[in-house]
Amino acid sequence: MELIAQLQQELRTLDERSLTRRRRIVETPCGPRVNVDGRELLAFCANDYLGLAAHPRLVAALQEGAARYGVGSGASHLISGHSRAHADLEERLAEFVGPNLESARALYFCTGYMANLAVLTGLCAADKDAEIFSEELNHASLIDGARLARVKVGVYPHADLEALAALLAASAARTKIVVTDSVFSMDGNLAPLPALLALCERHGAWLVVDDAHGFGTLGAHGRGALEHFDLRSPHLVYMGTLSKAAGVGGAFVAAHASVIETLIQKARPYIYTTAAAPALAHALLTSIDLIAGAEGAARRAQLRALIAQLGTGLRLERWRRLPSATAIQPILLGANDETMRAGAALFERGLWVGTIRPPTVPPGTARLRVTLSAAHTGAEVAQLITALNALERT
């Protein structure tokens, strides 16, 4: 009972600090209009940036994949779980992002979290004297991947190229790995990827780019941050998430063929995991077609228009919208309790906006995290703008 009492006290402490996390039950498909806990809400908290999660063509493709391949894969990729759907998807992904990589090959994972664990542990598996240089605001999966690699890890301040250059210059490691988000998930801003790549090429380091929030939304063809910055290099290791703009699930790593083969042979999160359902991979083939085609281009244009509309329409005095040209639009409030009250007030008005608190963000930087989708309309974004402007003044 003492163990239970200890946990209960820790939970009470979280609640007193406005840090308790709660789940809500969504009864409808992912989209701007959802039924949550029995209420119809206008949602600005999903990562379905292109509005593809309930697209009829993807629904039909998933149904077709299930009819063709069944529901489960039955084993890991290296036993018997690697289906024709997985192979076709990896080939399609390598072709899609290949223009920005050298001799590209792709590897499909169940989740982005697992992909990041695999990349960092796999690249360090053959060199325990390797060194990782991690961006201060990296996603938890990158932080955990660096820890699991069991090598020396240096953390450089957010977007501080001088600090990173000094760390790289001081390192005697044969294997150096710089790892960064492309779009920072809680701030919405972009990493200085061209300068980071130049540093990595100068110091003979890998640049691992987590493009979870850029794939599908950035670049003329939706190829992500590398296309956006027009980067190409054998030093690049690229991770793209397929559960956000792509609307389905899983993730992939794309890099030089030798990197991918190393992950297949060395990365424990890949080797010892049951493969994702082949039906998901089959559906993702349609998703990539949508992203790459005319419809994807139109949806990216709509998303850019909504981002501009929000930035122009907000008239905040106490709160602060962080500078972001991406679908992630954070509004900094600072205090946990005020952020939770603001989120609850929006919810009562029929608007569902994410409330982000420590440890996801540093203490004193709690925020509302507005995420926009191409499926939103201008009228819906105007409704959010009106509510935020009015709420800040109460």
Side-chain angles (χ1 to χ4, degrees), residues 155-309:
V155 178
Y156 64 94
H158 179 51
D160 191 332
L161 296 170
E162 289 187 8
L164 176 59
L167 289 172
L168 287 168
S171 174
R174 181 170 62 94
T175 302
K176 303 180 185 71
I177 304 168
V178 175
V179 57
T180 184
D181 284 6
S182 61
V183 178
F184 293 95
S185 60
M186 294 301 127
D187 287 37
N189 60 329
L190 284 165
L193 292 183
L196 289 173
L197 180 58
L199 275 177
C200 288
E201 290 179 334
R202 188 182 313 150
H203 292 277
W206 296 108
L207 178 58
V208 175
V209 177
D210 178 343
D211 201 25
H213 303 277
F215 179 78
T217 66
L218 297 178
H221 303 90
R223 295 186 183 119
L226 303 188
E227 183 183 36
H228 174 79
F229 286 113
D230 192 24
L231 301 180
R232 180 184 175 89
S233 173
H235 289 253
L236 287 164
V237 180
Y238 179 84
M239 195 286 286
T241 298
L242 300 169
S243 57
K244 296 180 173 63
V248 185
F252 70 99
V253 176
H256 190 281
S258 297
V259 173
I260 299 304
E261 189 62 29
T262 297
L263 298 185
I264 292 172
Q265 302 302 326
K266 298 281 189 178
R268 292 166 64 88
Y270 181 81
I271 296 169
Y272 298 108
T273 300
T274 298
L280 295 176
H282 183 79
L284 281 161
L285 291 168
T286 297
S287 180
I288 302 306
D289 288 343
L290 288 169
I291 289 171
E295 183 171 348
R299 286 175 180 256
R300 283 188 291 278
Q302 165 71 355
L303 182 58
R304 289 193 297 271
L306 297 176
I307 293 167
Q309 179 186 352

Side-chain angles (χ1 to χ4, degrees), residues 91-128:
E91 289 179 10
R92 181 72 176 94
L93 288 166
E95 175 190 26
F96 184 54
V97 300
N100 295 98
L101 296 165
E102 194 78 32
S103 302
R105 186 178 168 190
L107 194 62
Y108 178 54
F109 288 84
C110 298
T111 69
Y113 211 108
M114 187 169 292
N116 281 337
L117 299 186
V119 167
L120 295 180
T121 58
L123 287 177
C124 294
D127 184 1
K128 289 306 175 184

Side-chain angles (χ1 to χ4, degrees), residues 301-391:
Q302 165 71 355
L303 182 58
R304 289 193 297 271
L306 297 176
I307 293 167
Q309 179 186 352
L310 184 70
T312 301
L314 287 178
R315 294 287 186 269
L316 303 177
E317 297 175 0
R318 292 187 301 110
W319 303 345
R320 181 166 64 93
R321 171 182 169 264
L322 298 183
S324 168
T326 71
I328 300 167
Q329 294 288 307
I331 299 172
L332 188 66
L333 278 70
N336 297 341
D337 54 354
E338 184 178 9
T339 301
M340 295 307 294
R341 285 195 299 270
L346 289 167
F347 197 85
E348 286 304 309
R349 298 182 188 205
L351 299 166
W352 193 11
V353 176
T355 51
I356 309 299
R357 296 148 290 159
T360 306
V361 293
T365 67
R367 66 200 62 185
L368 297 171
R369 181 179 182 265
V370 174
T371 51
L372 298 174
S373 168
H376 286 122
T377 66
E380 289 170 338
V381 172
Q383 183 180 342
L384 174 66
I385 291 169
T386 299
L388 286 169
N389 284 340
L391 186 59

Side-chain angles (χ1 to χ4, degrees), residues 25-27 34-41 347:
I25 298 175
V26 181
E27 305 282 357
V34 291
N35 188 290
V36 182
D37 294 340
R39 293 188 56 194
E40 183 176 312
L41 296 173
F347 197 85

